[in-house]
Amino acid sequence: MYNYKLANFDKNNNTISMMESSEKFKKRFLELVSDFDCKKSEIPKILNIDYNIFIKIIEFGIIPQPKILIRIADYFNISIEYLLCRTDDSYIYKLDNRIAFIERYDTLIKEKGLTDYKISKKLHISTSYISNWRKKKYTPSLINLIELSEIFKVTIDFLLGRTDDRN
């Protein structure tokens, strides 16, 4: 579903990471914004996203970080699963007060009888990476969110606390 096309240099962490891209995502996004009756340059302001991110989406299909995906999905009142073309059903019953990712994660590992160590092995990441989730420093990458959603058999929206619907 996703291709790795472009490298991204993160000045804060002095790291290079790959950005996911998807033609399906690009097409879905373009369909969503096609109804805007404004200049193309005004769309990022309406969606509360950076102009450079907007250009990367419409030109290359670069999938932004989860926090940006949430903003886009919230604006259109759609699921992230729909935005990413993982489903054709756009409906989401959105919670008024989002639940923190780590709260959902903790609930799910307890339900499945898993540990951070077992999850880290399944995701091929270190347990210290998961510790950073616990400290609420950041949300997992999109790739890790997708893998977690498959491990726990829930949607990305459920993991991110946008909805109480698991599927």
Side-chain angles (χ1 to χ4, degrees):
M1 176 191 278
Y2 306 104
N3 299 318
Y4 294 94
K5 284 186 169 180
L6 302 175
N8 183 38
F9 182 71
D10 183 342
K11 295 176 192 171
N12 298 328
N13 296 326
N14 288 327
T15 59
I16 296 176
S17 63
M18 299 305 284
M19 296 183 292
E20 298 88 17
S21 69
S22 165
E23 282 300 313
K24 288 182 178 181
F25 168 72
K26 175 182 170 181
K27 183 179 176 187
R28 173 76 37 94
F29 182 81
L30 289 172
E31 287 171 4
L32 290 166
V33 299
S34 68
D35 290 336
F36 282 116
D37 187 23
C38 63
K39 293 179 185 175
K40 184 168 105 174
S41 62
E42 295 172 352
I43 296 173
K45 291 176 191 163
I46 294 168
L47 296 176
N48 192 25
I49 64 174
D50 183 77
Y51 183 77
N52 291 324
I53 291 171
F54 175 73
I55 293 300
K56 287 177 183 178
I57 294 170
I58 65 170
E59 296 293 326
F60 306 107
I62 301 298
I63 301 171
Q65 297 175 1
K67 67 181 180 180
I68 305 299
L69 289 173
I70 291 169
R71 284 185 210 157
I72 296 167
D74 281 349
Y75 179 84
F76 290 107
N77 199 30
I78 59 172
S79 71
I80 291 173
E81 300 282 337
Y82 178 77
L83 185 58
L84 294 173
C85 303
R86 291 170 49 96
T87 182
D88 289 327
D89 182 9
S90 65
Y91 176 78
I92 183 169
Y93 177 76
K94 211 165 63 170
L95 295 175
D96 291 332
N97 297 312
R98 276 187 47 206
I99 296 169
F101 161 77
I102 200 63
E103 289 179 44
R104 283 288 163 87
Y105 172 79
D106 284 340
T107 299
L108 290 166
I109 62 169
K110 286 176 188 165
E111 284 178 7
K112 298 282 185 183
L114 297 170
T115 63
D116 287 350
Y117 177 78
K118 288 179 183 176
I119 294 293
S120 71
K121 292 301 172 202
K122 288 178 183 268
L123 297 180
H124 307 287
I125 60 174
S126 70
T127 53
S128 65
Y129 189 71
I130 294 176
S131 294
N132 285 330
W133 302 345
R134 294 203 174 286
K135 294 174 188 172
K136 298 182 183 180
K137 289 188 178 180
Y138 57 85
T139 302
S141 69
L142 178 60
I143 294 299
N144 286 329
L145 285 170
I146 290 170
E147 290 180 19
L148 286 168
S149 74
E150 292 170 0
I151 290 168
F152 295 127
K153 296 181 181 17
V154 297
T155 65
I156 294 169
D157 295 285
F158 181 82
L159 273 174
L160 293 174
R162 294 183 71 230
T163 185
D164 278 336
D165 294 336
R166 291 178 176 240
N167 297 314

